[in-house]
Amino acid sequence: MVSRENRVLIGSLLLVWLVVTVIGLTGIGAESSVLAFVILAGIGIVLPQLYLAATDDDVPGRQRVRIAAVLALVIAMLGFPAATSSERLIIAGLVAALLLAVTGYEFAAGYRASAAER
Protein backbone atom coordinates (compact mmCIF):
# COMPACT_ATOMS: atom_id res chain seq x y z
CA MET A 1 0.00 0.00 0.00
CA VAL A 2 1.29 3.42 -0.92
CA SER A 3 1.66 5.81 2.00
CA ARG A 4 -0.19 9.11 2.14
CA GLU A 5 3.05 11.05 1.83
CA ASN A 6 3.98 9.20 -1.35
CA ARG A 7 0.52 9.80 -2.81
CA VAL A 8 0.88 13.54 -2.18
CA LEU A 9 4.35 13.64 -3.74
CA ILE A 10 3.25 11.58 -6.76
CA GLY A 11 0.22 13.84 -7.13
CA SER A 12 2.45 16.90 -7.16
CA LEU A 13 4.68 15.34 -9.82
CA LEU A 14 1.61 14.56 -11.92
CA LEU A 15 0.48 18.17 -11.48
CA VAL A 16 3.91 19.40 -12.60
CA TRP A 17 3.69 17.12 -15.64
CA LEU A 18 0.19 18.41 -16.41
CA VAL A 19 1.24 22.07 -16.15
CA VAL A 20 4.33 21.48 -18.31
CA THR A 21 2.18 19.68 -20.88
CA VAL A 22 -0.36 22.51 -20.98
CA ILE A 23 2.44 25.07 -21.33
CA GLY A 24 3.98 22.98 -24.10
CA LEU A 25 0.69 22.73 -25.94
CA THR A 26 -0.27 26.38 -25.59
CA GLY A 27 3.22 27.89 -25.67
CA ILE A 28 2.19 30.48 -23.07
CA GLY A 29 5.27 31.35 -21.02
CA ALA A 30 7.27 28.45 -22.45
CA GLU A 31 10.46 30.52 -22.56
CA SER A 32 10.18 31.94 -19.04
CA SER A 33 12.79 30.73 -16.56
CA VAL A 34 10.78 32.25 -13.72
CA LEU A 35 7.76 30.17 -14.70
CA ALA A 36 9.95 27.05 -14.88
CA PHE A 37 11.29 27.77 -11.39
CA VAL A 38 7.80 28.36 -9.98
CA ILE A 39 6.54 25.13 -11.52
CA LEU A 40 9.48 22.99 -10.42
CA ALA A 41 10.09 24.47 -6.99
CA GLY A 42 6.63 25.76 -6.16
CA ILE A 43 4.32 23.05 -7.41
CA GLY A 44 6.81 20.18 -7.34
CA ILE A 45 8.40 20.75 -3.94
CA VAL A 46 7.13 23.62 -1.79
CA LEU A 47 3.39 23.08 -2.23
CA PRO A 48 3.34 19.37 -1.26
CA GLN A 49 5.77 19.89 1.63
CA LEU A 50 3.66 22.73 3.06
CA TYR A 51 0.51 20.64 2.65
CA LEU A 52 2.14 17.73 4.46
CA ALA A 53 3.48 20.09 7.14
CA ALA A 54 -0.07 21.23 7.84
CA THR A 55 -1.75 17.83 7.72
CA ASP A 56 0.81 15.10 8.55
CA ASP A 57 1.73 14.28 12.14
CA ASP A 58 4.48 11.74 11.38
CA VAL A 59 7.16 14.30 10.48
CA PRO A 60 7.33 17.64 12.33
CA GLY A 61 6.00 20.57 10.31
CA ARG A 62 9.11 22.65 10.97
CA GLN A 63 11.24 19.97 9.33
CA ARG A 64 9.01 19.89 6.24
CA VAL A 65 9.17 23.68 5.91
CA ARG A 66 12.97 23.56 6.11
CA ILE A 67 13.09 20.79 3.50
CA ALA A 68 10.92 22.84 1.15
CA ALA A 69 13.13 25.92 1.51
CA VAL A 70 16.40 24.05 1.04
CA LEU A 71 15.17 22.12 -2.01
CA ALA A 72 13.83 25.32 -3.59
CA LEU A 73 17.25 26.87 -3.03
CA VAL A 74 18.91 23.84 -4.65
CA ILE A 75 16.67 24.13 -7.71
CA ALA A 76 17.46 27.84 -7.95
CA MET A 77 21.17 27.10 -7.71
CA LEU A 78 20.94 24.54 -10.52
CA GLY A 79 20.59 27.56 -12.69
CA PHE A 80 18.54 28.35 -15.70
CA PRO A 81 20.97 28.92 -18.56
CA ALA A 82 18.40 30.69 -20.73
CA ALA A 83 17.46 33.12 -17.95
CA THR A 84 18.03 36.79 -18.49
CA SER A 85 19.54 38.90 -15.73
CA SER A 86 16.11 40.21 -14.73
CA GLU A 87 14.73 36.66 -14.53
CA ARG A 88 17.67 35.60 -12.37
CA LEU A 89 16.96 38.56 -10.11
CA ILE A 90 13.30 37.55 -9.80
CA ILE A 91 14.26 33.94 -8.99
CA ALA A 92 16.76 35.18 -6.40
CA GLY A 93 14.06 37.40 -4.92
CA LEU A 94 11.64 34.47 -4.69
CA VAL A 95 14.26 32.33 -2.95
CA ALA A 96 15.17 35.19 -0.61
CA ALA A 97 11.49 35.69 0.27
CA LEU A 98 11.14 31.97 0.95
CA LEU A 99 14.23 31.93 3.17
CA LEU A 100 12.99 35.03 5.05
CA ALA A 101 9.64 33.31 5.57
CA VAL A 102 11.39 30.22 6.95
CA THR A 103 13.53 32.37 9.23
CA GLY A 104 10.43 34.18 10.50
CA TYR A 105 8.67 30.85 10.99
CA GLU A 106 11.61 29.56 13.03
CA PHE A 107 11.73 32.71 15.17
CA ALA A 108 7.99 32.48 15.83
CA ALA A 109 8.21 28.78 16.70
CA GLY A 110 11.14 29.44 19.03
CA TYR A 111 9.28 32.29 20.70
CA ARG A 112 6.18 30.13 21.20
CA ALA A 113 8.32 27.33 22.66
CA SER A 114 10.07 29.68 25.09
CA ALA A 115 6.77 31.32 26.05
CA ALA A 116 5.22 27.91 26.73
CA GLU A 117 8.07 27.03 29.11
CA ARG A 118 7.29 29.99 31.35
Side-chain angles (χ1 to χ4, degrees), residues 37-62:
F37 173 75
V38 169
I39 291 169
L40 290 176
I43 296 173
I45 294 173
V46 174
L47 189 65
Q49 289 298 325
L50 292 180
Y51 172 75
L52 288 169
T55 61
D56 189 18
D57 294 331
D58 293 338
V59 178
R62 290 173 69 182

Side-chain angles (χ1 to χ4, degrees), residues 90-112:
I90 292 170
I91 291 171
L94 290 172
V95 171
L98 182 61
L99 293 176
L100 282 173
V102 169
T103 303
Y105 180 79
E106 289 292 329
F107 278 130
Y111 176 77
R112 276 187 245 119

Side-chain angles (χ1 to χ4, degrees), residues 1-81:
M1 179 168 199
V2 179
S3 70
R4 182 173 173 273
E5 178 179 2
N6 287 341
R7 285 183 296 194
V8 170
L9 296 175
I10 290 169
S12 71
L13 290 177
L14 288 174
L15 186 59
V16 166
W17 174 79
L18 180 66
V19 170
V20 168
T21 302
V22 168
I23 288 173
L25 292 175
T26 61
I28 298 172
E31 308 257 333
S32 174
S33 296
V34 175
L35 183 62
F37 173 75
V38 169
I39 291 169
L40 290 176
I43 296 173
I45 294 173
V46 174
L47 189 65
Q49 289 298 325
L50 292 180
Y51 172 75
L52 288 169
T55 61
D56 189 18
D57 294 331
D58 293 338
V59 178
R62 290 173 69 182
Q63 186 174 352
R64 291 210 183 267
V65 171
R66 286 185 217 132
I67 288 169
V70 168
L71 290 177
L73 179 63
V74 167
I75 287 178
M77 288 173 39
L78 289 175
F80 295 91

